[in-house]
Amino acid sequence: SRVTNTYEAVVSTQSTGEQLNHNQHLHHPPSASHTTHYLHIIAKLKSFGKCDTEAGAAAFENRDQMQRPVLKTFYDHTQPINDLDFHPYLPYLISSSKDCTVMFYDFRSSVKRAFKYIQDTHNIRTISLHPCGDYLLVGTDHPVIRLYDVNTFQAYTSKRSDQHHFAPINMVRYSPDGTMWASCSKDGSIKLWDSVSNSLINTIPNAHNSSEVNSVQFTISQKYLLTCGKDESVRLWEWSTGRQILKITTGHPPPAGGTPPPIQHRANATFNYNEDFIIGSDDVGGVVWDSRTGDVIQRLQGHANLVRYVAASPTENALITCSNDHRGRFWASFVKNVNVL
């Protein structure tokens, strides 16, 4: 899932839904292929989840009679979709897939097919669009990250071969002002890059005890990086020095004197809109932690399987959680003592 900067819509590979406690979930049948996008209107998601009256509850039971919150459905990919991003000011949705393509969709158009695409030779695992909207970072199964001009599709890479990762790329993300970008890889390292020269600024090796680093994100101040790894931890780093500021252990703790069992799934962690909280997942479901102390603030229960991805609103305490139970749940309010929308 990915949420627009204006928080008017959210994209997922799920559809339809029902309510559970203070959340809304979008169900996708397990037998279907996850090769399509569903563009949901946030306002409709919120209203779709309200069933305070007997009439509302009755209508909720007969979900086929309810207006779906899906605005658009997009096609074209032939294999699972790995990542999504919105253009900062144009009505474009960009997606990457295991089919080695990056697709560009116009969600204001009536056309449900991509109007242009980038063809690669490797599984495209992650993308990130520059805040100006003219450049696109692409991370694949190949260790070299590509930088594309979205107008000409000219590709660029770092000149220094010794600066690249040496394993597939798990995530690339631009800083808020676009002057830097960060990458993380299956090689267990985090790298910081200059956006102008495309040169390496710093590397944090073995960031998660030699485990894969699943996700990376800049703070608003751009002084720190939030990462999540397969060592069952979420960590906050001062990127200039490589110093670890905070470590949060997720899932089951390792046995005394031992190491945690290997994790076979990729999960991520992200901040809420004002960075008071860190949202991620553990063995049970979604979790909200205090970003200063690492204490658990709230557990987001309701999923029947692993939570694989979380996407937070840029304007309020709301988020989407996506799970192996084939559901994406929309949480209109996830922090205690906050009124439910």
Side-chain angles (χ1 to χ4, degrees):
S1 294
R2 191 67 77 90
V3 183
T4 60
N5 291 334
T6 56
Y7 193 46
E8 295 175 348
V10 63
V11 176
S12 73
T13 55
Q14 323 294 325
S15 69
T16 73
E18 58 182 322
Q19 183 188 20
L20 180 64
N21 296 329
H22 295 158
N23 69 72
Q24 171 66 27
H25 80 239
L26 310 161
H27 178 241
H28 192 62
S31 59
S33 177
H34 295 263
T35 60
T36 56
H37 317 330
Y38 297 92
L39 183 65
H40 307 275
I41 298 297
I42 293 295
K44 288 186 178 180
L45 278 177
K46 292 178 179 179
S47 62
F48 188 61
K50 294 181 179 179
C51 296
D52 298 331
T53 65
E54 292 184 7
F60 191 81
E61 288 299 320
N62 188 3
R63 294 191 296 272
D64 290 338
Q65 296 180 3
M66 299 184 68
Q67 183 181 13
R68 298 300 186 194
V70 179
L71 173 64
K72 289 284 181 67
T73 303
F74 299 106
Y75 306 96
D76 272 349
H77 284 298
T78 58
Q79 293 195 50
I81 298 160
N82 293 324
D83 205 358
L84 300 158
D85 204 356
F86 282 99
H87 195 281
Y89 56 87
L90 295 175
Y92 296 163
L93 170 67
I94 306 168
S95 63
S96 65
S97 169
K98 198 174 181 179
D99 63 11
C100 307
T101 63
V102 175
M103 297 287 184
F104 291 74
Y105 300 90
D106 185 339
F107 58 80
R108 295 284 175 85
S109 169
S110 60
V111 179
K112 296 184 177 181
R113 302 288 180 178
F115 65 89
K116 62 180 179 179
Y117 68 93
I118 296 172
Q119 180 71 57
D120 204 284
T121 57
H122 295 80
N123 168 27
I124 301 178
R125 303 166 63 87
T126 177
I127 55 174
S128 182
L129 195 62
H130 190 277
C132 74
D134 290 334
Y135 300 98
L136 182 73
L137 290 171
V138 174
T140 71
D141 279 343
H142 193 277
V144 177
I145 298 169
R146 287 85 151 148
L147 174 64
Y148 283 93
D149 184 316
V150 300
N151 298 307
T152 65
F153 283 175
Q154 178 69 43
Y156 306 89
T157 61
S158 175
K159 296 179 180 179
R160 295 275 302 275
S161 60
D162 59 325
Q163 294 181 344
H164 297 298
H165 289 283
F166 55 86
I169 310 301
N170 281 337
M171 185 172 283
V172 290
R173 289 294 183 264
Y174 272 108
S175 62
D177 68 359
T179 58
M180 299 177 292
W181 53 277
S183 61
C184 61
S185 166
K186 283 191 172 185
D187 64 15
S189 69
I190 307 163
K191 290 182 180 288
L192 272 294
W193 307 80
D194 183 276
S195 293
V196 177
S197 64
N198 219 22
S199 59
L200 185 67
I201 298 174
N202 194 17
T203 298
I204 304 175
N206 300 320
H208 284 259
N209 297 327
S210 299
S211 297
E212 291 184 31
V213 185
N214 296 326
S215 69
V216 62
Q217 177 186 347
F218 282 93
T219 58
I220 296 172
S221 69
Q222 304 188 159
K223 294 181 179 180
Y224 307 100
L225 288 172
L226 180 70
T227 63
C228 180
K230 281 193 175 181
D231 62 343
E232 296 201 339
S233 74
V234 175
R235 304 179 190 230
L236 187 65
W237 306 87
E238 183 180 58
W239 64 260
S240 60
T241 63
R243 182 169 62 97
Q244 181 178 290
I245 305 298
L246 177 69
K247 177 183 176 181
I248 299 171
T249 301
T250 66
H252 295 298
T259 57
I263 306 172
Q264 300 304 318
H265 65 278
R266 291 170 62 188
N268 77 313
T270 187
F271 287 107
N272 74 319
Y273 77 105
N274 61 6
E275 297 186 349
D276 285 343
F277 308 107
I278 296 171
I279 308 105
S281 62
D282 61 10
D283 295 332
V284 179
V287 186
V288 181
W289 294 282
D290 187 294
S291 62
R292 292 168 179 80
T293 65
D295 296 334
V296 175
I297 301 298
Q298 188 172 352
R299 294 189 179 275
L300 308 176
Q301 298 179 345
H303 283 292
N305 209 320
L306 294 170
V307 173
R308 297 289 300 276
Y309 200 87
V310 293
S313 160
T315 59
E316 62 176 315
N317 279 328
L319 58 88
I320 292 281
T321 55
C322 302
S323 168
N324 278 357
D325 63 7
H326 306 285
R327 285 172 168 81
R329 294 181 182 270
F330 174 75
W331 304 79
S333 177
F334 62 88
V335 180
K336 293 177 181 178
N337 300 322
V338 176
N339 293 330
V340 178
L341 300 175

